[in-house]
Each structure stands twice: as C-alpha cells, then as structure tokens.
C-alpha cells in the first residue's frame, strides 16, 4: 500500500474496517489455526494439500490484517458537517437527475469503501471528482469509464 496517498473514510467505513480487523484477528485466525492443526494430523506435510491450503489462507489473512492496520493508521475520518449550504463531500448521498428525468443516487466514500452494488462511489472516481464541492441545483458533467459523457443536475444532498 502506498503510504504517501491520502486515505479518507466515512465513520461507517472506518467502523467496518475495525470490525473486519477484529474478526480476522480473532475468529478467522482461530479457524485457520485449527485447520492447520487438523492438516498436520494427516501426515507428510510435503504432500498435504490441506496443509498447503490452510497455510495459504493464513498468509492471505495476515496480509489483509496488515493492510487494514495500515489503512487505519493513515486514514482521516471525514466528519459530517452542517446541513446549511450543504456541498457534496465524502459521506454525503447525492441524488441526480439527467435531461431525460432519470434519477440516480450515489454515496460519496473514500477509495477503500467503494462498492458499486451499494451505489458507493469513490471520491477519486471521475463522477466523485465531478460532484465534490457542488451544491443542490448545480449541473455536473463527467465521462464514465466506458467513455460516455454524462450530465446531471444535483437535486438533493443528504448526510
């Protein structure tokens, strides 16, 4: 992970990382240790696929623990601001409407929290960058990853 890169998280995103870290250090770690113990009981470790799989999972788990710790050590939690003159920022949910009247709703989150299935877009994505700093009633335009130019009007911003 690039230590020089600024990481911003919503309070909810930070909480999810804290919970994942606790799970991986506790329950997940214990499950892996148990699998390794069982696999050792199967005999010769040089030809033991169960043991190899458990060790690989242990390595992956430890890597993710280190990654989460690193994120939490450098991340800035973006606190909610006042609702007066609300501008799009990390942690806000934005409702947009295009020229045809089709609406879309996105929550702006830090890079590590992005989840397209939950309509959470990164503050560093083209759409996120175009929306940040704008207020209700303003028009924004950005190019999607597929190369399409999109133009929307911001109809609502909520925290």
């Amino acid at each position: 992970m690039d230590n020089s890169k600024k990481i911003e998280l919503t309070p909810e995103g930070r909480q999810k990382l804290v919970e994942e870290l606790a799970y991986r250090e506790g329950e997940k770690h214990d499950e892996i240790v148990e699998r390794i113990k069982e696999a050792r009981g199967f005999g010769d470790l040089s030809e033991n696929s169960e043991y190899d799989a458990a060790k690989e999972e242990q390595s992956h788990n430890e890597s993710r623990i280190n990654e989460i710790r690193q994120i939490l050590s450098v991340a800035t939690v973006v606190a909610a601001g006042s609702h007066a003159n609300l501008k799009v920022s990390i942690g806000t949910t934005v409702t947009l409407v295009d020229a045809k009247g089709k609406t879309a709703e996105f929550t702006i989150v830090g890079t590590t929290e992005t989840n397209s299935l939950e309509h959470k877009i990164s503050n560093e994505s083209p759409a996120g960058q175009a929306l940040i700093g704008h207020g209700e009633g303003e028009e924004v335009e950005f190019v999607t990853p597929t190369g399409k130019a999109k133009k929307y009007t911001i109809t609502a911003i909520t925290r």
Side-chain angles (χ1 to χ4, degrees), residues 31-100:
E31 288 173 9
I32 295 169
V33 168
E34 188 60 36
R35 281 187 57 204
I36 291 171
K37 285 180 186 177
E38 288 175 11
R40 282 187 178 145
F42 294 144
D44 185 8
L45 297 182
S46 65
E47 296 179 11
N48 188 331
S49 63
E50 291 291 327
Y51 179 78
D52 291 342
K55 290 301 278 183
E56 186 176 322
E57 185 176 2
Q58 180 183 38
S59 176
H60 173 72
N61 191 53
E62 288 173 3
S63 294
R64 181 63 180 151
I65 287 170
N66 289 333
E67 180 182 14
I68 294 169
R69 285 181 179 161
Q70 179 62 32
I71 290 169
L72 292 173
S73 73
V74 299
T76 303
V77 177
V78 180
S82 71
H83 292 280
N85 300 319
L86 190 60
K87 299 285 184 191
V88 177
S89 62
I90 292 180
T92 57
T93 299
V94 184
T95 305
L96 308 167
V97 64
D98 66 12
K100 296 178 183 175

Side-chain angles (χ1 to χ4, degrees), residues 6-10 74-78 90 109-113 123:
K6 182 179 173 185
I7 297 175
E8 295 177 316
L9 296 170
T10 61
V74 299
T76 303
V77 177
V78 180
I90 292 180
V109 296
T111 304
T112 61
E113 302 172 75
N123 61 318

